[in-house]
Amino acid sequence: MGEIIDFKRADGKMISGYYAVPEAGENAPGVVVLQEWWGLNEQIKGVADRFTQEGYRALVPDLYRGKVTLDAAEAEHLMSRLDFGDAATQDISGALRHLKTDGTKVGVIGFCMGGVLSILAAARTDDADAAIPWYGLPPEGSIEPGDIKIPLQGHFALKDEHFPPTQVDDLEAKLKQAGVDYEFYRYDADHGFGNETGERYDKEATKLAWQRSLDFLAKHLK
């Protein structure tokens, strides 16, 4: 449904990504979709395609520059080599601006590693109109919660060993104190519950989180 395109990062350097367009065409609102640590694989392309069925243009920046893996150890290695600050302020910022060129509103949604990056992008750039992290939290001290000036909706797993509920509670307290427009949802599920190809997929939690995400995007982008 989509295609690989080249677009400019915020600093003008070129990067590629997977771009999919709905029937409404190039004037539709946009969503930047951020990968899990596996890379720009078929699963995340499928998420982008799904957004086109909801009337959005979707762009998945290729943060690993062509590398994709099925192996968790290699994925961890690839993620550990990623400069998260550069990805958020350059790759993702560029993707958001690419979708925003005709003045339409754009959001960013990310999963796992992409969830971390969606919060970083919300705090460190002015390019998104809304952000949705699914089970990902930035490291302590990497953002100032008060820097988030856009609506934020988070989806978190109560059985998440990577981003435990206490960390989610801590970030929520800081967002509340900073007066951020946010809403957090928690699910009785494992980390990665929204990936239909993964062993921790939870159909009911995913269905609910997906609907909440769509309602949130419709409210803020359409």
Side-chain angles (χ1 to χ4, degrees), residues 156-160 185-191 193 200 202 205:
F156 301 100
L158 290 171
K159 301 174 188 172
D160 196 325
Y185 297 99
R186 295 160 174 85
Y187 304 84
D188 186 22
D190 290 299
H191 180 80
F193 68 80
R200 297 177 176 181
D202 186 308

Side-chain angles (χ1 to χ4, degrees), residues 28-141:
V31 179
V32 171
V33 180
L34 302 177
Q35 67 191 48
E36 297 183 348
W37 67 352
W38 309 112
L40 180 53
N41 61 14
E42 292 306 312
Q43 188 273 333
I44 204 71
K45 290 177 184 176
V47 174
D49 290 341
R50 192 170 172 185
F51 274 113
T52 66
Q53 294 164 22
E54 301 293 338
Y56 296 94
R57 289 171 299 134
L59 177 58
V60 191
D62 185 4
L63 303 176
Y64 287 169
R65 307 297 193 268
K67 291 187 171 67
V68 179
T69 183
L70 293 170
D71 179 70
E74 186 180 359
E76 189 168 9
H77 176 65
L78 288 168
M79 183 177 74
S80 69
R81 293 180 62 187
L82 183 70
D83 182 333
F84 275 63
D86 182 72
T89 60
Q90 300 297 332
D91 293 355
I92 297 164
S93 179
L96 288 161
R97 292 178 190 181
H98 184 80
L99 291 179
K100 214 171 191 172
T101 46
D102 50 5
T104 51
K105 290 188 174 183
V106 297
V108 57
I109 185 169
F111 305 85
C112 177
M113 180 184 93
V116 177
L117 287 164
S118 65
I119 299 176
L120 286 175
R124 295 191 187 180
T125 80
D126 299 320
D127 300 301
D129 295 295
I132 307 178
W134 282 46
Y135 35 80
L137 293 168
E140 180 74 33

Side-chain angles (χ1 to χ4, degrees), residues 118-211:
S118 65
I119 299 176
L120 286 175
R124 295 191 187 180
T125 80
D126 299 320
D127 300 301
D129 295 295
I132 307 178
W134 282 46
Y135 35 80
L137 293 168
E140 180 74 33
S142 62
I143 64 162
E144 289 292 335
D147 288 343
I148 299 176
K149 307 297 186 188
I150 58 172
L152 180 76
Q153 184 187 71
H155 302 275
F156 301 100
L158 290 171
K159 301 174 188 172
D160 196 325
E161 71 280 8
H162 298 285
F163 303 101
T166 52
Q167 289 182 16
V168 178
D169 296 344
D170 185 46
L171 177 60
E172 179 168 27
K174 291 175 180 174
L175 293 172
K176 191 176 290 183
Q177 187 177 8
V180 176
D181 178 5
Y182 82 94
E183 52 191 62
F184 275 7
Y185 297 99
R186 295 160 174 85
Y187 304 84
D188 186 22
D190 290 299
H191 180 80
F193 68 80
N195 185 332
E196 71 283 0
T197 68
E199 55 196 34
R200 297 177 176 181
Y201 175 58
D202 186 308
K203 186 176 181 180
E204 289 308 310
T206 301
K207 183 179 178 182
L208 184 54
W210 184 256
Q211 191 56 54

